[in-house]
Amino acid sequence: MPPRPPLPSAHTHLQIYVLPTLHGKHVFHPRFLKPQTRLQHIALVSAFIFRKWRYQLSDVGAFVWNGAGASTGFVGRKLWWWGNKLTTRRAADEYFLKNVPRITESVEFLYPPSSNLKMIKAQVGEFLANGDRHRSRLFLWALILPSSLYIAKFHVAVANLFFSYNVFRLNASWRAMYGAKTLQKLLDSRKVTWKADDQLQTLIESSSQEVTARLEETANGGKIWRYSPGTDLHDEVVERLEKELKSVELTRTYRRSRLQYLVHQGKE
């Protein structure tokens, strides 16, 4: 008998959960690779704490502005519309690709069977086709860095915030650019698999039923959310998936990507 192929290592095998959302789009959330050393573990935890702090600040602003709704009158509606555009970046591909480490040797996309695989592959293909914009953003932020560093020397609070944001954007664009290259390389070498995960589908359906039942108990005659295959998921459902799958930051990734597709009408 031929020898069995070696099992993928948790240190280099990346699992990516795929969930449906608005406008026929999907949210892609990679699990963290298992750290190989204590230093990598410390770096992973530190990066998570920093991201959580920064994302909470930016996300609160975006969600509060969007939830406020448009004011009456032409000027009020325009201000609300432009505020949405400014606080909600079209960066779902960046959120995904920058979490594809360069050491990744194989990738497994896990999606519910109710989702359309062709649409999932098409969206991934669109992310990769737009990969050059991460290089352009990297170049732009690199050009701005010297001036932001010079201004930050004056120890002005706003200037230092701008410099920190500049460095963050440089890092994000760099990681997204190389994440796209890594994923494309793995696709070309046929080291990417696509798995219709029955367990994920079961978790979505059972969580959705529980959430709908809770909403029915507290509803006062209003419209109640109900799960429909291939459509947007309720926040509570995603939160339960994050706990059951032990996939850190799944809820944040889902909400940020969904808000982008809501504000920008499904555009990448």
Side-chain angles (χ1 to χ4, degrees):
M1 296 179 64
R4 292 183 178 179
L7 294 174
S9 169
H11 301 297
T12 58
H13 179 70
L14 185 67
Q15 288 186 319
I16 300 171
Y17 287 108
V18 184
L19 299 175
T21 187
L22 301 172
H23 298 289
K25 294 292 185 176
H26 292 82
V27 176
F28 299 83
H29 181 74
R31 294 175 66 100
F32 293 139
L33 291 177
K34 187 176 180 181
Q36 300 185 45
T37 64
R38 181 171 179 78
L39 181 61
Q40 288 181 354
H41 178 76
I42 294 173
L44 183 67
V45 173
S46 301
F48 166 72
I49 293 173
F50 176 76
R51 284 199 309 272
K52 185 175 182 180
W53 170 78
R54 197 200 72 82
Y55 287 163
Q56 281 181 336
L57 289 178
S58 60
D59 289 352
V60 165
F63 289 124
V64 167
W65 186 272
N66 179 263
S71 303
T72 56
F74 176 78
V75 176
R77 288 195 299 270
K78 279 295 181 181
L79 285 175
W80 179 78
W81 185 83
W82 280 110
N84 266 335
K85 297 290 183 181
L86 290 173
T87 58
T88 307
R89 298 174 55 241
R90 289 166 55 183
D93 57 339
E94 181 186 288
Y95 304 150
F96 164 46
L97 292 171
K98 71 181 183 181
N99 286 307
V100 179
R102 297 176 69 178
I103 63 172
T104 304
E105 296 180 350
S106 59
V107 172
E108 181 181 28
F109 286 88
L110 303 171
Y111 63 94
S114 59
S115 290
N116 188 314
L117 179 57
K118 288 184 178 180
M119 293 178 66
I120 294 173
K121 289 184 176 181
Q123 190 171 345
V124 172
E126 187 175 1
F127 285 167
L128 296 177
N130 295 334
D132 286 343
R133 69 183 178 188
H134 302 297
R135 185 191 304 274
S136 301
R137 290 170 181 171
L138 178 66
F139 180 71
L140 173 63
W141 287 109
L143 285 177
I144 299 174
L145 182 62
S147 58
S148 65
L149 177 60
Y150 177 77
I151 296 172
K153 290 175 64 176
F154 293 102
H155 305 290
V156 180
V158 174
N160 279 284
L161 285 174
F162 176 64
F163 172 72
S164 300
Y165 182 75
N166 194 166
V167 173
F168 174 82
R169 294 262 34 96
L170 267 172
N171 177 61
S173 298
W174 176 271
R175 288 169 55 200
M177 182 179 70
Y178 276 97
K181 290 183 176 180
T182 300
L183 182 56
Q184 185 63 65
K185 180 180 178 181
L186 294 173
L187 280 167
D188 294 341
S189 57
R190 298 185 179 181
K191 292 183 179 179
V192 175
T193 57
W194 311 82
K195 179 181 177 182
D197 193 339
D198 293 327
Q199 180 186 8
L200 179 58
Q201 182 71 49
T202 301
L203 284 173
I204 292 174
E205 292 176 354
S206 60
S207 298
S208 297
Q209 290 174 359
E210 293 173 6
V211 169
T212 299
R214 187 194 64 76
L215 293 174
E216 288 177 337
E217 292 176 357
T218 58
N220 295 318
K223 186 177 180 180
I224 298 175
W225 177 86
R226 298 184 186 278
Y227 169 66
S228 178
T231 59
D232 190 55
L233 302 178
H234 195 281
D235 279 354
E236 289 187 29
V237 173
V238 182
E239 290 170 3
R240 296 184 185 208
L241 291 176
E242 179 176 324
K243 293 179 181 178
E244 291 292 332
L245 300 171
K246 298 180 180 179
S247 184
V248 181
E249 293 190 308
L250 174 60
T251 303
R252 180 171 290 110
T253 301
Y254 191 89
R255 294 189 68 195
R256 299 184 95 208
S257 299
R258 175 214 278 150
L259 185 59
Q260 171 194 316
Y261 295 130
L262 172 65
V263 172
H264 297 281
Q265 299 296 309
K267 295 180 180 179
E268 297 293 356

